Amino acid sequence: MTAAEPDVDRDTFRTLMAGFPAGVAVITVLDGDGRPRGMTCSSLCSVSLEPPTLLVCLRLGSPTLAAVRERGRFAVNLLHHRARATAELFASGAADRFDRVPWLADDGRAGPHLSGDAHSVADCVVSGTERIGDHEVVFGRVRRIDRFAGPAPLLYGLRGYAGWPDRSATGEAHGTGRAPERSVMTTEIPAPGSRRAAAGIFNAAVAAPAIAAAWELGALDELKEFGRLEIPAFAARHDLHLGSTRGMFVALAGVEVVRRDGDTVVAGPVFDEVYQAKPLFHWLAVGSAPLFARMPFVLRNANRVGDYYTRDARAISFASRQANTTFFDPVFWSVVEGLDFPVTSVADLGSGSGERLLQLAKRYPAAKGIGVEIAAPALELSTGEAAQAGLADRVRFVEADARHLTPRPEFADVELLTCFMMGHDFWPREQCVAALRRLREAFPAARKLVLGDNVRTVGVPDDDIPVFTLAFELGHAMMGVFVPTEQEWLEAFGEGGWECSAVHHVEGLAGAVVFELS
């Protein structure tokens, strides 16, 4: 072989490595502000015994890697086989992952020890790094090892989790010296290509609308508050068909959102993660259902003319409101509270349900707001919400396309512009630059534009795509809407007449970014 020969393709290489099962670890560290950081990692191996050194491979751009570089140390938590949910939790990027597992940290530890989920923990100091492709290899010199009695290691291979084989089945424990006839591994996730893999995919497709329904009907909130419910009583309280309601909970149990014992339902291993992501499931399974249901039609170029697709605008607004609250609001309010001018006049572009303007009006009694929205159902919803809140005298909504705004008297005094989860509609680039310039003209007094949206991801492996990203990017591709990368946004701002003063990456929602523009 020569250096000029081409590499194998990515899928072939990943299939090869999938056939090499490995233990599962969570790499943890406290960043410079004392905040815990951590991520799941199966790319781990020993390097030398003298000095005792191991290596881990961490994804470039991850907050965990940044903290490891900053602190020069990290902890390797080797998970036991009952910690699959923790492995999935730390692979998800959920912002509250350290709130959902027990851990210990002090000056003697190189990072948080996951005391309930690890069978061993190695505390390491960084002895070297090397960047290769989209990962960085971090070499750690082991300074301390803690071992805990308990379950056997967790393994990952063939894209599934498994427990270590029972040693008593090998004959070793009985001193026979015989090789085992066959070791048995109880795999929790079936290998691709098996019948159960197909069933898992199919049942997950049913579970998505079940999650959306369980949120809308109040089941998720009831489980969050009380921890359990009885299906017949729940159906009776909400006047629901009992058989269908029971089927909804069966669908949730099939993907471990809940556990079900007859008609008694309790929260399952992934309940907290799904509860946080509930508006994303609603966006997909209700708001975008008409789009995805017609995928064969929409993919054909001959059909992509005129109004070739539909979505449920009211459901999209409903889901987006909760997504804003869960993911974007912590960053948004931090930005607003740091403004160097009082909040008196605000315009929200793509205002949807109107929730952002209503919150601003409640927090700042002197503020007036105007929402710009193109979808009539969303306008109807937001206008009703403003009236119900008693804020119709200070918050109003107009039907207009935020991409093609022209000066209006009601826009003249607006100082703060906000735009969330619709900025991608400005693109492609030429149209985006023109739209940004028109905003300058339409809002001559604007001092700040706070723009939050999901950007297009780059370099994420197909089997490692986080929640929402695939649906968002595929859905917008089907609608013919270009989704820019973060860098493409930054390049467009200056040409459009805006200066980007800060970029904030949203915790818990991959690809979500908030830009501060002036």
Side-chain angles (χ1 to χ4, degrees):
M1 298 183 69
T2 67
E5 293 185 46
D7 295 335
V8 298
D9 64 84
R10 188 171 68 176
D11 289 341
T12 301
F13 180 64
R14 289 168 62 195
T15 299
L16 169 71
M17 298 312 298
F20 186 69
V24 183
V26 172
I27 310 304
T28 58
V29 62
L30 296 179
D31 67 15
D33 296 322
R35 294 174 298 185
R37 301 289 186 180
M39 62 187 294
T40 300
C41 174
S42 59
S43 298
L44 161 72
C45 72
S46 64
V47 176
S48 74
L49 292 175
E50 194 61 44
T53 303
L54 55 76
L55 69 79
V56 295
C57 300
L58 305 180
R59 175 176 50 82
L60 291 176
S62 75
T64 301
L65 175 58
V68 169
R69 289 170 174 165
E70 178 185 17
R71 299 302 302 277
R73 60 183 185 174
F74 59 95
V76 178
N77 294 265
L78 303 180
L79 302 187
H80 59 64
H81 74 83
R82 295 176 185 167
R84 170 187 161 188
T86 297
E88 293 173 336
L89 173 64
F90 278 81
S92 73
D96 64 343
R97 51 194 180 274
F98 279 96
D99 295 331
R100 292 154 59 180
V101 296
W103 54 278
L104 302 170
D106 57 38
D107 291 341
R109 295 178 170 93
H113 287 200
L114 305 185
S115 53
D117 297 287
H119 65 78
S120 302
V121 182
D123 290 299
C124 307
V125 295
V126 176
S127 59
T129 62
E130 182 174 351
R131 177 173 175 172
I132 299 178
D134 56 2
H135 279 66
E136 186 158 313
V137 181
V138 180
F139 296 89
R141 188 162 177 171
V142 181
R143 297 296 196 187
R144 163 177 163 171
I145 295 176
D146 288 349
R147 295 185 179 88
F148 310 103
L154 178 67
L155 300 178
Y156 185 81
L158 296 176
R159 300 188 180 95
Y161 291 99
W164 190 263
D166 182 359
R167 288 177 62 88
S168 65
T170 68
E172 291 180 354
H174 303 288
T176 64
R178 297 195 308 267
E181 293 183 8
R182 187 171 183 176
S183 297
V184 179
M185 298 176 70
T186 305
T187 304
E188 299 180 20
I189 298 179
S194 72
R195 294 180 180 178
R196 290 307 307 165
I201 295 169
F202 191 94
N203 294 342
V206 179
I211 291 168
W215 174 39
E216 189 169 334
L217 296 171
L220 296 184
D221 289 332
E222 187 167 327
L223 284 168
K224 184 71 172 177
E225 183 175 0
F226 300 109
R228 64 184 295 153
L229 61 77
E230 298 293 331
I231 296 175
F234 177 82
R237 283 196 304 274
H238 297 275
D239 191 24
L240 305 176
H241 180 259
L242 178 57
S244 301
T245 304
R246 186 176 286 119
M248 178 185 74
F249 284 109
V250 170
L252 297 180
V255 292
E256 298 189 312
V257 176
V258 302
R259 297 289 197 204
R260 189 176 65 91
D261 183 6
D263 281 337
T264 300
V265 176
V266 299
V270 301
F271 177 85
D272 288 338
E273 182 183 348
V274 169
Y275 185 84
Q276 182 187 44
K278 59 188 182 292
L280 309 181
F281 285 96
H282 199 278
W283 179 95
L284 170 66
V286 182
S288 299
L291 171 66
F292 283 96
R294 300 199 72 199
M295 188 181 294
F297 175 88
V298 171
L299 265 57
R300 291 187 170 93
N301 285 324
N303 299 329
R304 296 172 69 86
V305 293
D307 296 328
Y308 65 89
Y309 68 87
T310 60
R311 292 198 300 169
D312 186 330
R314 179 180 284 269
I316 292 289
S317 294
F318 178 73
S320 296
R321 176 171 61 182
Q322 183 63 43
N324 269 313
T325 300
T326 302
F327 301 108
F328 285 101
D329 272 6
V331 176
F332 172 73
W333 290 113
S334 175
V335 171
V336 170
E337 290 166 2
L339 293 175
D340 58 0
F341 58 90
V343 179
T344 57
S345 182
V346 187
D348 189 32
L349 309 178
S351 52
S353 68
E355 182 68 15
R356 189 171 306 283
L357 283 178
L358 297 180
Q359 289 181 355
L360 283 163
K362 292 173 183 177
R363 184 171 294 202
Y364 300 100
K368 292 186 177 181
I370 182 167
V372 178
E373 176 58 54
I374 194 173
L379 279 170
E380 180 183 352
L381 174 65
S382 57
T383 301
E385 294 280 353
Q388 187 174 354
L391 295 171
D393 59 329
R394 291 199 289 129
V395 178
R396 64 194 187 95
F397 300 89
V398 298
E399 185 173 358
D401 188 340
R403 300 169 298 179
H404 302 286
L405 291 179
T406 56
R408 297 188 183 193
E410 58 266 41
F411 293 166
D413 297 326
V414 170
E415 292 186 303
L416 175 62
L417 283 175
T418 62
C419 178
F420 279 78
M421 297 185 74
M422 66 82 57
H424 52 272
D425 291 329
F426 290 166
W427 288 74
R429 180 186 173 84
E430 294 76 11
Q431 296 178 18
C432 178
V433 170
L436 290 170
R437 290 174 177 170
R438 281 191 288 267
L439 291 180
R440 271 294 187 205
E441 297 169 358
F443 299 93
R447 301 173 65 178
K448 180 79 74 172
L449 166 57
V450 184
L451 189 153
D453 208 348
N454 275 74
V455 297
R456 190 173 79 253
T457 55
V458 178
V460 179
D462 292 348
D463 63 353
D464 198 30
I465 298 174
V467 67
F468 190 59
T469 297
L470 176 60
F472 181 80
E473 295 183 5
L474 172 57
H476 284 81
M478 289 196 293
M479 293 186 290
V481 177
F482 178 81
V483 177
T485 65
E486 179 179 331
Q487 185 60 38
E488 286 170 331
W489 266 118
L490 293 173
E491 293 170 356
F493 290 142
E495 194 174 342
W498 297 86
E499 180 181 350
C500 182
S501 57
V503 179
H504 307 274
H505 295 95
V506 177
E507 287 281 350
L509 185 59
V513 180
V514 176
F515 301 101
E516 289 188 59
L517 309 174
S518 56

